[in-house]
C-alpha cells in the first residue's frame, strides 16, 4: 500500500466540492484509486437518480461500464442488492450466485471476473448508491481491503452530500441531473474521438481526461466543446 497515495486520495475525495465540482470526474477518481490501491481488477459506481433508479456514473474501464449497464438492464446483481438492502454484498466466487443472478454471473464470467464485492454509499440511513469491486480470480477478498474500500466510499458519499442544506434532496438531484447530462456528453465525445483517431473507447476517455486536466478544464465542458465544435481543440485531435 502506497501510504502517500492513500493520504492524497482521502484529501482529494474530501476536498472536491468546489464551485466547478465535476461529479463524473470525481467518481472516476474513486474507481481508479480503488483499482490502484486495492487487490481488485476493476471498479464501478452506481448512483440513484432523482427517480430513485440507479445509473452507472463511473467505471475504471469500458468493459466494467458495460457490465454495470447490463446489471441494471437485467435487474439482478450485487450492486442492486447492496443498494436495496444498504448492506455490503461479498461474493468470493460468482459461480455460487449463478442461481440468484444467472444473467449477471454469466456476463461477468465472459468479462473475465470471478469475484465481486459491492459496498453501500450511505450516510446514516440514506443510501445514494453503491461501489462495485471486481476481481479476476475467485477467492476471498483481502480482509484489510474491505474496511479501506468502505472508508473511500464513505468519504466520497459525505462529499456528495455535504453541500446540502434545508433543501438537501433538491441539491443532490440537481447534481445528479447535471452529472447524467455530462455523462451523455462524455460518451458522445469518447465515440467521436475514438472514431477520429482510431482509438478504443477507454483510450479515448483517457485522452479527453488528460487534455482536460492539462488545460485546467472541466471534463464535461471539454466534452461539450468537442461534440458541438464550439471551440478549436487542435491538440486533442492531433
Amino acid at each position: 500500500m502506497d501510504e502517500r497515495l492513500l493520504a492524497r486520495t482521502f484529501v482529494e475525495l474530501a476536498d472536491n466540492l468546489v464551485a466547478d465540482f465535476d461529479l463524473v470526474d470525481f467518481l472516476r477518481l474513486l474507481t481508479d484509486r480503488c483499482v490502484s490501491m486495492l487487490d481488485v481488477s476493476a471498479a464501478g459506481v452506481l448512483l440513484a437518480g432523482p427517480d430513485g433508479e440507479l445509473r452507472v456514473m463511473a467505471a475504471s474501464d469500458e468493459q466494467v461500464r458495460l457490465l454495470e449497464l447490463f446489471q441494471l438492464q437485467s435487474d439482478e446483481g450485487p450492486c442492486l442488492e447492496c443498494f436495496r438492502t444498504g448492506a455490503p454484498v461479498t461474493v468470493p466466487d460468482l459461480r455460487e450466485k449463478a442461481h440468484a443472478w444467472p444473467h449477471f454471473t454469466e456476463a461477468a464470467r465472459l468479462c473475465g471476473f470471478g469475484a465481486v464485492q459491492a459496498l453501500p454509499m450511505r450516510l446514516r440511513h440514506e443510501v445514494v448508491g453503491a461501489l462495485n469491486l471486481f476481481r479476476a480470480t475467485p477467492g476471498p477478498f483481502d480482509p484489510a481491503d474491505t474496511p479501506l474500500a468502505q472508508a473511500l466510499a464513505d468519504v466520497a458519499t459525505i462529499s456528495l452530500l455535504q453541500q446540502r442544506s434545508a433543501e438537501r434532496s433538491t441539491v443532490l438531484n440537481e447534481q445528479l441531473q447535471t452529472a447524467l447530462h455530462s455523462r451523455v456528453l462524455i460518451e458522445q465525445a469518447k465515440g467521436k474521438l475514438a472514431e477520429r483517431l482510431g482509438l478504443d473507447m477507454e483510450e479515448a476517455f483517457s485522452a479527453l481526461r488528460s487534455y482536460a486536466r492539462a488545460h485546467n478544464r472541466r471534463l464535461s465542458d471539454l466534452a461539450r466543446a468537442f461534440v458541438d465544435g464550439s471551440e478549436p481543440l487542435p491538440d486533442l485531435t492531433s
Side-chain angles (χ1 to χ4, degrees):
M1 176 69 66
D2 186 332
E3 294 184 358
R4 289 176 297 180
L5 178 60
L6 176 61
R8 187 165 74 248
T9 298
F10 275 111
V11 170
E12 289 172 326
L13 290 176
D15 191 32
N16 260 274
L17 288 188
V18 292
D20 59 347
F21 177 64
D22 190 323
L23 180 56
V24 173
D25 196 39
F26 173 77
L27 293 174
R28 179 61 188 252
L29 171 70
L30 173 62
T31 62
D32 286 352
R33 293 298 169 80
C34 283
V35 174
S36 297
M37 297 188 298
L38 308 176
D39 183 23
V40 298
S41 307
V45 172
L46 278 68
L47 289 185
D51 55 3
E53 296 296 318
L54 285 174
R55 268 85 165 182
V56 180
M57 297 306 303
S60 58
D61 60 53
E62 184 69 13
Q63 185 180 51
V64 172
R65 187 184 74 84
L66 295 175
L67 179 58
E68 297 283 42
L69 286 172
F70 181 81
Q71 179 177 192
L72 296 180
Q73 291 167 356
S74 61
D75 194 33
E76 61 176 49
C79 213
L80 289 166
E81 183 174 321
C82 175
F83 175 71
R84 289 165 179 168
T85 64
V89 175
T90 301
V91 185
D93 189 339
L94 273 169
R95 291 171 294 188
E96 298 173 356
K97 282 289 189 176
H99 63 288
W101 309 326
H103 300 99
F104 174 79
T105 53
E106 176 63 14
R109 184 189 66 79
L110 292 174
C111 289
F113 299 123
V116 65
Q117 184 174 57
L119 302 172
M121 297 185 69
R122 179 185 61 207
L123 182 62
R124 299 183 181 89
H125 300 297
E126 184 174 8
V127 182
V128 300
L131 169 65
N132 251 2
L133 304 173
F134 296 89
R135 286 184 49 222
T137 56
F141 284 80
D142 188 330
D145 279 357
T146 298
L148 175 55
Q150 186 64 68
L152 292 170
D154 290 345
V155 171
T157 304
I158 291 169
S159 289
L160 291 174
L161 300 178
Q162 74 176 30
Q163 280 195 338
R164 293 213 230 167
S165 56
E167 300 176 325
R168 296 168 69 235
S169 60
T170 300
V171 173
L172 181 59
N173 287 344
E174 289 175 354
Q175 282 188 338
L176 291 176
Q177 286 284 38
T178 299
L180 290 171
H181 180 61
S182 297
R183 179 79 259 175
V184 171
L185 284 172
I186 292 167
E187 291 302 315
Q188 291 174 342
K190 281 166 55 179
K192 182 177 179 180
L193 187 61
E195 181 180 7
R196 182 168 298 183
L197 298 185
L199 306 174
D200 63 34
M201 295 295 277
E202 187 61 23
E203 290 171 337
F205 179 84
S206 296
L208 287 167
R209 192 184 194 194
S210 297
Y211 187 95
R213 291 188 169 186
H215 293 79
N216 197 27
R217 298 286 301 274
R218 281 167 51 100
L219 183 59
S220 55
D221 290 344
L222 176 67
R224 181 183 295 107
F226 182 58
V227 168
D228 63 22
S230 60
E231 296 180 38
L233 301 170
D235 297 338
L236 181 58
T237 56
S238 58

